[in-house]
């Protein structure tokens, strides 16, 4: 499912116009991005939480040359599924 399909599905299930759903979804994405940039965390009880994790620097191998390279420390986004979401997948 892509973004357009998601907007259509939400609009059908809620009776809200697709344009309005698209605006809300865009706002949702912007809030998550902004909060994670500021090293915050967003928790949606039952669904899951969004946060960042720092991946430490480590050695890797360049697949083209086989040479070892240093991969620098970086922050990555993480999503941890909540209890209700996990149970829905069983």
């Amino acid at each position: 499912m892509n973004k357009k399909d998601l907007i259509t599905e939400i609009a059908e299930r809620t009776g809200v116009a697709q344009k309005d759903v698209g605006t809300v979804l865009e706002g949702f994405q912007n809030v998550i991005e902004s909060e994670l940039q500021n090293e915050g965390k967003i928790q949606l009880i039952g669904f899951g939480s969004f946060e960042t994790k720092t991946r430490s620097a480590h050695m890797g191998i360049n697949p083209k040359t086989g040479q070892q390279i240093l991969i620098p420390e970086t922050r990555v986004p993480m999503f941890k599924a909540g209890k209700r979401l996990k149970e829905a997948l069983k």
Side-chain angles (χ1 to χ4, degrees):
M1 178 179 287
N2 61 30
K3 187 175 180 179
K4 183 180 177 184
D5 296 337
L6 179 61
I7 290 170
T8 301
E9 185 69 23
I10 292 171
E12 288 175 4
R13 290 185 185 203
T14 63
V16 176
Q18 286 188 16
K19 182 178 178 182
D20 295 335
V21 172
T23 300
V24 170
L25 184 57
E26 190 69 34
F28 178 71
Q29 291 173 316
N30 291 338
V31 168
I32 290 173
E33 183 179 304
S34 177
E35 188 66 20
L36 295 182
Q37 285 174 342
N38 295 320
E39 298 188 28
K41 181 178 181 178
I42 295 178
Q43 291 182 287
L44 303 172
I45 304 299
F47 181 72
S49 59
F50 298 89
E51 59 187 311
T52 59
K53 178 181 178 184
T54 301
R55 189 176 290 161
S56 60
H58 59 281
M59 294 303 289
I61 297 176
N62 181 331
K64 286 185 178 179
T65 65
Q67 189 176 28
Q68 282 196 336
I69 56 172
L70 177 65
I71 300 171
E73 178 178 279
T74 186
R75 280 190 329 155
V76 294
M78 302 277 300
F79 175 77
K80 183 177 178 185
K83 183 178 179 181
R84 190 178 81 207
L85 180 58
K86 288 179 185 178
E87 289 176 357
L89 299 177
K90 289 184 179 180

